[in-house]
């Protein structure tokens, strides 16, 4: 089966694009590998503090001691001081809750990074040698095309 001149021109155009993409895959795979490593590092860096804080024990005595270490001032009535103290305790509790929610948010982002890194790792491993295979395929097609041109002359 012979190719027409239009088909040969079209084949040469797409063959050169195919060769370029195969050549670029050689460098692209290392860039993807760098991105995968970056995702693993940022994911682990985001998840690690949450895991560490989850497994560390809460020292209740230390918390009670930090809350009860203030002395009652003499120039302020007791009921005003207790209201201020309760307000301060509520604010501290709210700040702690916000820190915990931000820590949880960062852990979720870290898990997303790790999941994306695992999927990208599978992609890179599956396609690692495709560039060489594509180069060989393009060379075989180019040789076959040149042989057909030589036969026609």
């Amino acid at each position: 089966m012979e190719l027409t001149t239009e088909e040969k021109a079209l084949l040469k155009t797409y063959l050169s694009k195919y060769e370029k993409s195969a050549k670029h895959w050689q460098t692209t795979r290392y860039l993807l590998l760098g991105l995968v490593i970056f995702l693993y590092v940022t994911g682990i860096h985001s998840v690690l503090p949450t895991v560490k804080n989850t497994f560390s024990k809460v020292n209740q005595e230390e918390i009670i001691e930090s809350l009860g270490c203030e002395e009652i001032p003499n120039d302020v009535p007791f009921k005003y001081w207790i209201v201020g103290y309760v307000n301060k305790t509520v604010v501290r509790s709210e700040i702690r809750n916000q820190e915990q929610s931000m820590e949880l948010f960062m852990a979720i982002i870290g898990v997303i990074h790790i999941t994306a890194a695992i999927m990208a790792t599978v992609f890179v491993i599956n396609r690692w040698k495709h560039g060489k295979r594509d180069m060989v395929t393009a060379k075989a097609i180019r040789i076959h095309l040149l042989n057909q041109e030589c036969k026609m002359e």
Side-chain angles (χ1 to χ4, degrees):
M1 180 165 112
E2 288 290 321
L3 296 173
T4 64
T5 16
E6 293 173 1
E7 292 173 339
K8 286 181 183 177
L10 190 63
L11 179 64
K12 286 180 183 179
T13 304
Y14 284 111
L15 188 60
S16 64
K17 288 181 182 180
Y18 188 65
E19 287 172 335
K20 282 182 185 178
S21 72
K23 285 180 185 176
H24 288 301
W25 174 246
Q26 302 292 331
T27 56
T28 304
R29 67 181 177 185
Y30 290 110
L31 292 174
L32 285 174
L33 190 61
L35 177 68
V36 166
I37 290 171
F38 173 76
L39 285 174
Y40 275 122
V41 168
T42 57
I44 290 171
H45 180 71
S46 296
V47 170
L48 213 54
T50 306
V51 171
K52 186 184 86 172
N53 289 342
T54 302
F55 290 119
S56 64
K57 293 183 180 178
V58 176
N59 191 355
Q60 292 178 352
E61 294 173 1
E62 184 180 308
I63 294 173
I64 291 172
E65 185 180 313
S66 71
L67 292 175
C69 66
E70 294 183 20
E71 294 181 20
I72 302 172
N74 294 333
D75 57 341
V76 178
F78 181 73
K79 65 179 182 176
Y80 294 138
W81 177 83
I82 202 75
V83 169
Y85 187 74
V86 168
N87 283 340
K88 190 186 325 182
T89 306
V90 168
V91 168
R92 285 180 185 167
S93 173
E94 183 61 31
I95 290 172
R96 188 170 180 182
N97 287 341
Q98 287 177 352
E99 288 174 353
Q100 287 175 344
S101 65
M102 183 53 86
E103 194 172 275
L104 181 63
F105 176 73
M106 291 303 293
I108 291 170
I109 296 296
V111 168
I112 291 170
H113 280 201
I114 290 172
T115 304
I118 289 170
M119 290 173 19
T121 302
V122 169
F123 171 74
V124 169
I125 288 173
N126 284 338
R127 287 197 37 95
W128 190 258
K129 294 189 179 185
H130 280 228
K132 290 181 182 178
R133 186 198 66 196
D134 292 346
M135 288 293 290
V136 170
T137 305
K139 283 181 184 178
I141 294 171
R142 175 98 39 210
I143 289 170
H144 183 68
L145 188 62
L146 288 174
N147 285 340
Q148 278 192 355
E149 285 178 2
C150 289
K151 286 180 183 178
M152 290 180 75
E153 293 175 357

